Amino acid sequence: MMSVEDKLESAETRPPHVLIFPAPGQGHVNTILSLAELLALSDFQVTFLITPHIHNRLRRFAGDIEARHPNLTFETFGHGVLQNPALFGHNLKELAEQTKSQGKLKLRELCSEHSGKPKVGCIIVDALLGQVDSELGDELGIPIIHFRTASACSFWAYFNVPKLLQCNELPIKGEEDMDREITRIPGMENLVRCRDLPALCRGERKGTLSLDTLVYLALHSQQAKAVLMNTFEDLEGPVLSQLRRHFPSLYTLGPLHVLLNSKKASKTAAAAASGREEEKDRTCMRWLDAQPPKSVIYVSFGSVAVYTRAQLMEIWHGLMNSKKPFLWVIRHDLVAEPDGDQGLPAELQEGANERACIVEWAPQQEVLEHAAVGGFMTHSGWNSTLESMVAGVPMICWPLFGDQPTNSRYVSEVWKIGLDMKDTCDRKIVEKMVNDLMVERRQEFEKSAEALAALARKSAGEGGPSYSNFHRFIEYLKSIC
């Protein structure tokens, strides 16, 4: 039997155990997994809680992460809608509710003395699931940290919705109100219009989380011990200074994929192993290799968004009419009609030619870093925005929901690294914007994009602000564990 002294010595030498719980969307998981790998590289014991579907997808596309990081383990949970990935983009409300209820049970199990795992010292939870910790933090006596995977500017917009309602800047009165400027968000005065606020400010869509819920979650993050964000000071400094008045323990760690690569580079074994992604489809990369430098427009609208056939055909014709080669990622479930009709229009299925490469999946970071890519047509999800930014690739933004309308406004009006095409889907506009980005204003956008890319890499590189913030966070995490 171990003595008290032996037990204390064992507890002191055992690495701290952190439990991480992301929302089960691919974008959320990708971001928070980068943090999990960073903590594993920093000698923490990390348990990552996800659905079986997401776990299987990670194994397929990201190689054997557990072999690379022996102290990072995956736990799975979920049944019902959580086992049906086809529903992920169609009923986010039910997905969130089941994730919270089923995830809470699994969290409680993993934190129990009989879990077979080392005692959990801290839980890092996706802020979109912030309601999960309302009971668990007090019940289990474990510190809770929130990870906000969206941009700081969208987070700040959600946080200010109650003020906008109080001063009658919300609700939006209709289409004729969309270009009215919002003046009561500190640090964003006269920058955003009604159409640039997070999409739910326009009204709720069936199957989505409510605006009330997302505003509650923004305010609720004040109860967390700390808030983590995938952004950097040179990018969103004015908004971050406003947020820190309400969230004093806010750590900016972004761009996380650059920070992770910096850390891996300092551990040669991990860097060498990280390239094992046997099942990636390399077709698009071989196609890119045959294209001239900066000639290709890369098109991808993320892992969740669903569009109509008519919208996709307008984009198709606009791209074709631009006379520029393009690489387009079209998921099998990207197109849906109200009557349930799914599937790609015949023109797209048959349309691959010398100027078009259509694939169902692509290694996005690698694509954006390719010399042939000169522009990115994106849905303005935060991961895609940061990845394009780091690669120095200008953007055409076509946002749909969540934080995307706010991100796209900042891309065009604050960072000056692209064009905002929100609320329009017309082949003539697509053609014009592609030519503006790739020809008429190419030098202007490339100059801005390259300058911002340098700042992003410097921030997450050794000695940069995000790099230093990560080390401060590590020390803080050790202290609370």
Side-chain angles (χ1 to χ4, degrees):
M1 182 178 295
M2 292 179 67
S3 67
V4 172
E5 290 79 7
D6 289 338
K7 289 181 179 179
L8 286 172
E9 184 178 355
S10 175
E12 288 173 357
T13 56
R14 186 185 303 133
H17 183 198
V18 178
L19 179 55
I20 300 181
F21 184 27
Q26 196 65 50
H28 289 253
V29 170
N30 290 348
T31 303
I32 301 182
L33 182 58
S34 292
L35 175 66
E37 290 194 69
L38 282 162
L39 292 178
L41 288 169
S42 302
D43 299 321
F44 282 78
Q45 179 68 42
V46 181
T47 299
F48 201 75
L49 181 58
I50 47 176
T51 65
H53 165 66
I54 293 287
H55 191 212
N56 290 337
R57 185 173 174 84
L58 286 175
R59 283 180 166 173
R60 179 183 174 194
F61 291 117
D64 192 347
I65 299 174
E66 289 157 297
R68 300 201 297 267
H69 304 292
N71 51 337
L72 169 58
T73 59
F74 292 87
E75 291 284 343
T76 60
F77 76 102
H79 54 80
V81 70
L82 297 180
Q83 291 284 53
N84 189 349
L87 299 178
F88 277 22
H90 299 271
N91 198 333
L92 296 177
K93 183 177 181 180
E94 184 179 356
L95 175 65
E97 288 173 352
Q98 290 203 21
T99 301
K100 286 183 287 189
S101 60
Q102 297 178 39
K104 187 182 293 184
L105 294 174
K106 188 68 177 182
L107 282 170
R108 190 176 281 113
E109 174 190 321
L110 291 172
C111 292
S112 75
E113 295 180 0
H114 309 292
S115 68
K117 288 180 174 288
K119 179 177 173 60
V120 173
C122 175
I123 298 174
I124 299 177
V125 64
D126 191 318
L128 195 62
L129 303 172
Q131 291 164 307
V132 169
D133 64 54
S134 298
E135 301 172 12
L136 285 179
D138 293 336
E139 175 189 330
L140 301 173
I142 297 174
I144 305 290
I145 290 173
H146 280 190
F147 193 125
R148 301 207 67 93
T149 59
S151 60
C153 52
S154 66
F155 178 26
W156 184 231
Y158 278 124
F159 191 87
N160 278 275
V161 164
K163 177 193 291 186
L164 299 183
L165 289 167
Q166 187 176 20
C167 66
N168 296 318
E169 289 212 309
L170 285 178
I172 298 171
K173 298 177 177 62
E175 184 60 36
E176 68 281 1
D177 206 23
M178 283 296 186
D179 289 318
R180 173 170 54 84
E181 289 185 340
I182 298 295
T183 63
R184 301 298 182 91
I185 301 179
M188 297 169 70
E189 297 92 345
N190 305 314
L191 170 64
V192 296
R193 306 156 299 178
C194 289
R195 71 171 73 252
D196 304 315
L197 292 172
L200 279 175
C201 292
R202 305 181 182 199
E204 294 167 19
R205 296 185 301 136
K206 183 179 179 182
T208 62
L209 297 173
S210 70
L211 178 60
D212 286 347
T213 297
L214 291 176
V215 170
Y216 164 79
L217 292 173
L219 299 173
H220 179 66
S221 285
Q222 292 176 293
Q223 298 181 27
K225 291 288 186 182
V227 174
L228 310 179
M229 299 202 73
N230 185 23
T231 189
F232 57 101
E233 301 296 328
D234 282 327
L235 183 67
E236 298 192 272
V239 170
L240 289 166
S241 66
Q242 297 290 338
L243 280 167
R244 286 195 171 97
R245 298 181 181 182
H246 305 272
F247 303 91
S249 295
L250 189 155
Y251 295 86
T252 53
L253 308 178
L256 268 168
H257 69 286
V258 180
L259 181 60
L260 178 58
N261 289 338
S262 296
K263 290 293 183 181
K264 283 180 175 178
S266 66
K267 298 197 175 188
T268 54
S274 68
R276 293 181 303 177
E277 298 176 332
E278 295 87 351
E279 294 194 47
K280 278 186 176 179
D281 180 357
R282 308 300 299 177
T283 306
C284 65
M285 302 306 297
R286 290 192 294 271
W287 182 85
L288 284 173
D289 289 342
Q291 307 305 316
K294 297 188 180 297
S295 64
V296 174
I297 180 84
Y298 170 56
V299 185
S300 179
F301 300 125
S303 58
V304 175
V306 176
Y307 301 102
T308 67
R309 297 162 73 90
Q311 288 174 318
L312 259 71
M313 290 313 300
E314 288 299 308
I315 292 173
W316 167 260
H317 286 295
L319 290 169
M320 293 297 291
N321 294 342
S322 75
K323 303 294 192 295
K324 299 293 178 293
F326 60 93
L327 165 62
W328 194 352
V329 177
I330 301 183
R331 306 186 326 264
H332 71 278
D333 60 346
L334 182 67
V335 183
E337 295 293 347
D339 61 3
D341 182 26
Q342 289 189 323
L344 299 182
E347 294 95 323
L348 271 68
Q349 295 184 57
E350 302 167 359
N353 56 39
E354 67 278 4
R355 283 201 293 108
C357 178
I358 297 177
V359 295
E360 188 167 329
W361 183 87
Q364 181 161 291
Q365 290 180 30
E366 194 175 348
V367 167
L368 289 167
E369 295 282 356
H370 197 284
V373 174
F376 181 18
M377 180 177 286
T378 172
H379 65 310
S380 295
W382 190 234
N383 288 352
S384 291
T385 301
L386 282 178
E387 288 167 7
S388 193
M389 199 177 290
V390 168
V393 175
M395 288 167 264
I396 296 171
C397 303
W398 190 45
L400 180 64
F401 59 81
D403 61 327
Q404 298 164 15
T406 310
N407 298 343
S408 65
R409 183 66 169 176
Y410 269 69
V411 164
S412 66
E413 299 303 314
V414 178
W415 305 318
K416 309 288 187 182
I417 54 173
L419 299 167
D420 190 357
M421 200 177 77
K422 70 163 60 77
D423 298 330
T424 62
C425 188
D426 176 272
R427 64 189 67 186
K428 291 182 179 179
I429 292 175
V430 172
E431 178 186 355
K432 183 179 187 308
M433 286 203 167
V434 170
N435 279 303
D436 279 352
L437 195 79
M438 306 284 285
V439 181
E440 301 297 332
R441 299 174 62 187
R442 174 175 171 172
Q443 291 185 335
E444 169 194 342
F445 285 124
E446 282 184 356
K447 183 178 179 181
S448 297
E450 287 168 3
L452 198 51
L455 288 174
R457 293 192 179 102
K458 180 180 178 181
S459 181
E462 187 169 356
S466 291
Y467 190 98
S468 300
N469 286 344
F470 176 71
H471 285 277
R472 287 197 306 112
F473 173 65
I474 289 296
E475 294 306 312
Y476 172 74
L477 197 52
K478 288 177 180 177
S479 73
I480 64 173
C481 283

